[in-house]
């Protein structure tokens, strides 16, 4: 953070933004402004360099081919690695999450290197695609309420020893390994399979990112009645039998 200005970077809107993941940038931006922060939001297309001076970086999901192109360009660019080395916060969804790991299976059926910013490896699930609503309990250390989201992925993600599960699912597949885990995180790098967009359905995750960026334990409260109504609706409809 410099002065009162938060630098928010949305990575590759042209390749990675399925299922409304753009909404994550809108939510972080709005909740920061509601706390009186200036927000400099930068949408970085895949033919542009990744700035290394951002505070929060957001990456969305994508289909298999755009996911491979995004991984190639992010590896070549190197800016996101440098930003994380500078202490930046990264929040990634689905394809973006897989790219942050050590490797995933690309659209050509080959092992594609990721950025290695999260200690996870993604393989291709042999069974049915993981599709549907998800409810889960977020790791208690993060002090967040129930997770709600929507998943749609073929990849399965295995966590290594330095990645903590972001959540444990009560409904849905999450990482798809059968152990009930969903997503992963280390200090400042987060990955989840949740679309929705996930920060609109779970605005306190956006606040967690802001708190990490500001290095504070609490933020001024804001009127969350609209979000609470959305959350209640999504949680209740996820619990209805299909
Ligand atoms: N292509 C990846 C998979 O199917 C990611 C999908 C997504 O981002 N929704 O696992």
């Amino acid at each position: 953070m410099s002065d009162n200005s938060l630098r928010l970077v949305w990575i590759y809107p042209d390749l990675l933004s399925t299922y409304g993941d753009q909404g994550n940038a809108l939510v972080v931006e709005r909740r920061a402004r509601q706390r009186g922060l200036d927000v400099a939001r930068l949408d970085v297309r895949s033919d542009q360099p990744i700035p290394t001076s951002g505070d929060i970086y957001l990456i969305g999901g994508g289909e298999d081919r755009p996911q491979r192109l995004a991984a190639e360009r992010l590896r070549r660019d190197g800016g996101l690695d440098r930003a994380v080395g500078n202490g930046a916060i990264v929040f990634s969804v689905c394809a973006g999450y897989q790219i942050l790991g050590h490797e995933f299976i690309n659209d050509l059926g080959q092992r594609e290197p990721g950025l290695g910013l999260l200690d996870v490896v993604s393989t291709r699930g042999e069974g049915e695609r993981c599709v549907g609503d998800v409810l889960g309990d977020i790791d208690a250390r993060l002090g967040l309420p129930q997770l709600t989201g929507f998943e749609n992925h073929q990849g399965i993600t295995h966590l290594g020893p330095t990645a903590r599960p972001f959540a444990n699912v009560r409904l849905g597949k999450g990482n798809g390994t059968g152990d009930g885990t969903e997503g992963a995180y280390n200090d400042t790098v987060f990955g989840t399979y949740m679309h929705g967009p996930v920060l609109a359905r779970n605005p306190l995750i956006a606040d967690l990112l802001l708190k990490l960026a500001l290095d504070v334990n609490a933020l001024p409260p804001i009127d969350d009645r609209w979000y609470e109504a959305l959350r209640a609706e999504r949680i209740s409809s996820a619990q209805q039998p299909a």
Side-chain angles (χ1 to χ4, degrees):
M1 285 281 302
S2 69
D3 309 328
N4 217 22
S5 174
L6 179 90
R7 288 157 305 196
L8 174 64
V9 182
W10 182 31
I11 295 181
Y12 296 174
D14 52 326
L15 294 177
L16 298 174
S17 183
T18 53
Y19 308 109
D21 292 336
Q22 175 188 6
N24 291 333
L26 297 173
V27 172
V28 173
E29 189 175 353
R30 176 164 171 75
R31 293 180 79 81
R33 288 194 201 285
Q34 285 177 299
R35 269 57 175 258
L37 297 168
D38 278 340
V39 182
R41 173 172 149 190
L42 197 58
D43 296 355
V44 181
R45 292 177 50 89
S46 63
D47 58 355
Q48 297 174 322
I50 306 279
T52 55
S53 60
D55 298 301
I56 300 177
Y57 293 76
L58 300 174
I59 316 178
E63 289 166 9
D64 292 354
R65 185 164 182 278
Q67 177 175 352
R68 170 168 54 88
L69 298 178
E72 285 169 2
R73 291 172 196 188
L74 284 169
R75 284 199 312 269
R76 204 181 316 135
D77 181 272
L80 189 58
D81 306 54
R82 289 198 290 281
V84 170
N86 295 338
I89 291 127
V90 184
F91 185 83
S92 62
V93 175
C94 203
Y97 167 37
Q98 295 177 3
I99 290 171
L100 293 196
H102 299 298
E103 64 176 47
F104 61 90
I105 304 300
N106 68 19
D107 58 318
L108 309 172
Q110 296 160 348
R111 290 163 59 185
E112 180 79 30
L115 301 183
L117 295 173
L118 275 174
D119 185 14
V120 304
V121 169
S122 297
T123 55
R124 202 164 175 78
E126 297 301 327
E128 278 180 20
R129 207 172 163 82
C130 305
V131 183
D133 272 300
V134 175
L135 294 175
D137 299 309
I138 297 178
D139 186 346
R141 292 169 204 226
L142 298 176
L144 292 166
Q146 185 175 16
L147 177 70
T148 141
F150 176 81
E151 63 183 339
N152 186 347
H153 55 104
Q154 190 66 43
I156 286 186
T157 299
H158 308 263
L159 275 56
T162 68
R164 296 188 61 81
F166 180 60
N168 283 286
V169 294
R170 295 185 199 181
L171 178 75
K173 300 283 188 342
N175 287 321
T177 50
D179 64 359
T181 63
E182 184 327 90
Y185 74 102
N186 59 30
D187 297 343
T188 60
V189 181
F190 295 81
T192 177
Y193 272 111
M194 300 298 92
H195 298 281
V198 64
L199 298 185
R201 289 170 67 149
N202 305 273
L204 294 187
I205 301 178
D207 284 3
L208 171 70
L209 305 179
L210 291 173
K211 284 191 268 187
L212 288 169
L214 298 169
D215 198 16
V216 296
N217 291 323
L219 293 169
I222 49 183
D223 181 355
D224 266 341
R225 279 173 294 182
W226 187 89
Y227 282 104
E228 289 306 331
L230 173 68
R231 277 177 66 74
E233 184 202 297
R234 296 314 310 162
I235 290 170
S236 129
S237 76
Q239 285 164 337
Q240 305 295 322

